Amino acid sequence: MAAKLWKVTAVMLAGGLLLSSCAAPEAGGDMPDDLTHQKATEQPAQPSAQSTAPSNTAEEMTRAQFIASTGSVIAATLGFPNSRQISAEELKGLAVPPTDTLKDVVVLPSQCSKPVEELNWSPAQMGTEAARTDFTNEAQNIAGSIEVAKVTHRQKLEDHYKTVLEIRTECKSVKLNGLDFTETLKFSSPGISDVESQLYYTRTGDSANARESLVLMQSKGDYVVMVSFMSTVSLAEQQFNDVAKTILDTAVSQL
């Protein structure tokens, strides 16, 4: 989608939609990057599976960083060895809610405009301790991330869960008509058990940003974990559900 129409932020479809893009790097030519996962694919040389954990010692790491690191290590064992921990400065940008993401865009049905815009959400927007690691497979045609944040205002998290549920039940198919594009978004539940919030969506249309995304969220105690994947290939197979759920469960088990 034209970048002038969609504000680019370093946030993934958390229910998230990140209806914006930038040019994909040559190394992952089939991957229509948004800034969510560009960070994991933009460097020519990536860490090996053995070095996916950040160099911080356990004593130096926050709880959120430790959980995100744990998730990325599990992701490496499941076929996603290239990883990058996003910086504190990037987290600051991630924590700022995007605005005017639907400027000059007509959403049909119109009642879906608000929930679609509100999908541009990230746990870091709760403004508390947060961490995130992005990762890709060796072919770099599937990108994922694990984001962890401390929850101090539970209602903000519950509001996002309600948005995801509304999208899945009331806005299963949404058309976006911009100045120079038309796209269709289709939302559904991947049907994974024992997950507080989950969303699967496809994005097709005139733009070069056709993609599929899978997002799972689970909270425990004072923290919430979000695991998400984005790809130009189908993520509907059970194997992707299993990978996402394994990463999520492993991270949550450390809380």
Side-chain angles (χ1 to χ4, degrees), residues 183-232:
E183 291 193 341
T184 298
L185 305 173
K186 293 186 179 296
F187 300 97
S188 63
S189 170
I192 302 174
S193 60
D194 301 320
V195 178
E196 286 181 344
S197 180
Q198 55 187 294
L199 183 69
Y200 188 87
Y201 92 94
T202 61
R203 174 180 174 182
T204 59
D206 298 340
S207 82
N209 298 316
R211 66 186 64 171
E212 302 197 10
S213 293
L214 172 67
V215 184
L216 308 181
M217 296 185 69
Q218 184 73 37
S219 66
K220 182 179 179 182
D222 294 332
Y223 289 83
V224 62
V225 178
M226 178 180 78
V227 173
S228 52
F229 284 92
M230 180 183 72
S231 179
T232 53

Side-chain angles (χ1 to χ4, degrees), residues 3-4 9 87 91 98 117 120 141 154 162-163 178 181 194:
K4 64 182 179 181
T9 62
S87 68
L91 277 171
E117 187 160 29
N120 286 286
N141 63 349
R154 180 76 192 188
K162 289 178 182 177
T163 296
F181 71 90
D194 301 320

Side-chain angles (χ1 to χ4, degrees), residues 106-119:
V106 175
V107 179
L108 298 174
S110 59
Q111 62 267 28
C112 293
S113 178
K114 186 173 185 289
V116 164
E117 187 160 29
E118 288 178 348
L119 277 183

Side-chain angles (χ1 to χ4, degrees), residues 11-250:
V11 63
M12 172 146 179
L13 268 187
L17 201 42
L18 244 213
L19 299 174
S20 53
S21 68
C22 61
E26 293 182 5
D30 294 331
M31 190 66 197
D33 282 326
D34 55 23
L35 286 187
T36 301
H37 297 105
Q38 177 188 354
K39 304 306 179 184
T41 59
E42 64 187 2
Q43 300 179 34
Q46 295 293 337
S48 66
Q50 288 75 27
S51 63
T52 51
S55 59
N56 311 58
T57 65
E59 290 76 12
E60 296 173 330
M61 297 170 69
T62 66
R63 189 81 180 277
Q65 288 172 333
F66 174 76
I67 301 304
S69 174
T70 299
S72 67
V73 170
I74 295 300
T77 68
L78 296 173
F80 295 83
N82 308 319
S83 69
R84 180 183 185 278
Q85 183 183 53
I86 74 169
S87 68
E89 191 63 28
E90 290 164 336
L91 277 171
K92 290 180 181 178
L94 191 65
V96 179
T99 58
D100 295 329
T101 55
L102 293 176
K103 184 179 180 181
D104 297 325
V105 177
V106 175
V107 179
L108 298 174
S110 59
Q111 62 267 28
C112 293
S113 178
K114 186 173 185 289
V116 164
E117 187 160 29
E118 288 178 348
L119 277 183
N120 286 286
W121 188 89
S122 164
Q125 289 179 25
M126 289 186 290
T128 57
E129 174 194 336
R132 196 181 87 189
T133 299
D134 295 347
F135 41 82
T136 67
N137 59 343
E138 290 185 352
Q140 293 193 359
N141 63 349
I142 304 175
S145 71
I146 177 169
E147 184 175 336
V148 184
K150 191 170 185 178
V151 180
T152 56
H153 300 287
R154 180 76 192 188
Q155 190 58 49
K156 291 183 178 180
L157 181 61
E158 295 295 340
D159 287 345
H160 176 68
Y161 286 173
K162 289 178 182 177
T163 296
V164 173
L165 182 60
E166 181 179 2
I167 281 288
R168 290 196 338 235
T169 57
E170 305 298 328
C171 300
K172 295 180 180 180
S173 181
V174 177
K175 181 168 287 188
L176 307 176
N177 295 313
L179 298 177
D180 55 2
F181 71 90
T182 297
E183 291 193 341
T184 298
L185 305 173
K186 293 186 179 296
F187 300 97
S188 63
S189 170
I192 302 174
S193 60
D194 301 320
V195 178
E196 286 181 344
S197 180
Q198 55 187 294
L199 183 69
Y200 188 87
Y201 92 94
T202 61
R203 174 180 174 182
T204 59
D206 298 340
S207 82
N209 298 316
R211 66 186 64 171
E212 302 197 10
S213 293
L214 172 67
V215 184
L216 308 181
M217 296 185 69
Q218 184 73 37
S219 66
K220 182 179 179 182
D222 294 332
Y223 289 83
V224 62
V225 178
M226 178 180 78
V227 173
S228 52
F229 284 92
M230 180 183 72
S231 179
T232 53
V233 302
S234 174
L235 296 173
E237 288 83 0
Q238 184 61 42
Q239 70 184 70
F240 293 112
N241 287 354
D242 292 344
V243 167
K245 184 64 159 52
T246 298
I247 296 171
L248 182 72
D249 287 349
T250 302

